[in-house]
Amino acid sequence: MLAFESERDFGAWLLDNGEKKSGSTIKLPLQCYPSIQDPIHQLYSDIDFSSVTPQELKDRAVLTVNNERSMEINNKVLEFMPGNETVYKAVDMIMSEDPQDQLTFPEKFLNSLTPTGLPPYELKLKIGCIIILLRNLAPSKGLCNGTRLIITKLQQNIIQAKSIDGTETFLIPQIPLIPSQTNMPFKFKRMQFPIRLAFSMTINKSQDQTFEKICLVLDEPVFSHGQLYVDLS
């Protein structure tokens, strides 16, 4: 919790930071530095994972600077959840007909990559966990990039999930996914479910989301002033 006497004080402090009136260095109140530097403990210590419900999880998230830290936290939280874990392994293939490229970038190497916007090669899930969509599947029905859902059934080729408010049920298929990053020296395609766990997400991915309780992991520098402003707001 940030230590401010009123929402107006917090709003003024946030506006000053947004306009860079605090300079290049932003100092957070001492209350922002808990004695136990463990984001999972800070955010989920009040939850009994043996009987946790999706409703207890949907309004909180750990926000991180990069994907690697977010995925690490997601998998750790998943271990605390009851039920059997299901692992979906993707199919990766280089998008080149040049035999040399296929030798240079073998499938095992592609499996080790998780570029921004792609699900991991090994997608670990449990019934009741919170996920976030990484692609637009059916915008007219609310299945858009950034939509959060709750897993209700895990099958071999289809995942069943319901909306975060529990009013609608959807079927999510595996689809071909191509990284949008342009700094990679090659292109590859991953056949996988277009989702990630959403106990934790990056600051950028948290835009347009609403939470009642969050934990900010700032043990690495943010990429830009704007990214920190989004995080704080």
Side-chain angles (χ1 to χ4, degrees), residues 38-62:
D38 181 350
I40 297 175
H41 178 272
Q42 290 167 224
L43 194 63
Y44 297 107
S45 60
D46 61 327
I47 286 181
D48 180 2
F49 277 96
S50 64
S51 59
V52 68
T53 64
Q55 287 69 32
E56 293 179 275
L57 297 173
K58 67 183 181 66
D59 291 324
R60 58 181 75 195
V62 178

Side-chain angles (χ1 to χ4, degrees), residues 162-189:
K162 62 183 179 181
S163 57
I164 206 75
D165 60 7
T167 58
E168 295 185 77
T169 299
F170 305 100
L171 297 178
I172 303 174
Q174 289 183 318
I175 63 173
L177 300 156
I178 301 173
S180 58
Q181 292 179 343
T182 58
N183 60 344
M184 300 178 70
F186 59 90
K187 287 187 177 182
F188 79 101
K189 178 169 60 178

Side-chain angles (χ1 to χ4, degrees), residues 71-120:
M71 290 190 294
E72 175 189 336
I73 293 172
N74 273 323
N75 287 329
K76 285 184 178 179
V77 176
L78 187 69
E79 292 176 2
F80 288 112
M81 291 196 66
N84 297 323
E85 182 180 275
T86 299
V87 180
Y88 294 97
K89 292 187 178 182
V91 176
D92 293 334
M93 58 192 75
I94 194 78
M95 295 179 64
S96 172
E97 297 181 358
D98 187 341
Q100 185 60 41
D101 285 344
Q102 297 182 21
L103 291 174
T104 305
F105 308 109
E107 185 177 353
K108 187 174 182 180
F109 168 73
L110 301 179
N111 296 163
S112 69
L113 304 176
T114 310
T116 301
L118 251 63

Side-chain angles (χ1 to χ4, degrees), residues 145-210:
N145 186 358
T147 299
R148 290 188 300 145
L149 302 165
I150 301 167
I151 296 290
T152 55
K153 186 179 292 186
L154 296 169
Q155 299 178 312
Q156 183 174 356
N157 299 312
I158 288 288
I159 289 175
Q160 180 177 293
K162 62 183 179 181
S163 57
I164 206 75
D165 60 7
T167 58
E168 295 185 77
T169 299
F170 305 100
L171 297 178
I172 303 174
Q174 289 183 318
I175 63 173
L177 300 156
I178 301 173
S180 58
Q181 292 179 343
T182 58
N183 60 344
M184 300 178 70
F186 59 90
K187 287 187 177 182
F188 79 101
K189 178 169 60 178
R190 171 164 293 172
M191 181 67 71
Q192 181 61 287
F193 293 100
I195 60 175
R196 278 191 184 184
L197 289 169
F199 304 117
S200 173
M201 64 185 71
T202 62
I203 297 170
N204 290 338
K205 201 67 178 177
S206 70
Q207 295 187 67
D208 300 324
Q209 302 286 346
T210 301

Side-chain angles (χ1 to χ4, degrees), residues 13-22 26 225 229:
W13 177 79
L14 184 63
L15 187 61
D16 285 346
N17 287 314
E19 296 177 350
K20 298 187 178 181
K21 292 182 179 179
S22 302
I26 295 176
H225 180 272
Y229 178 71

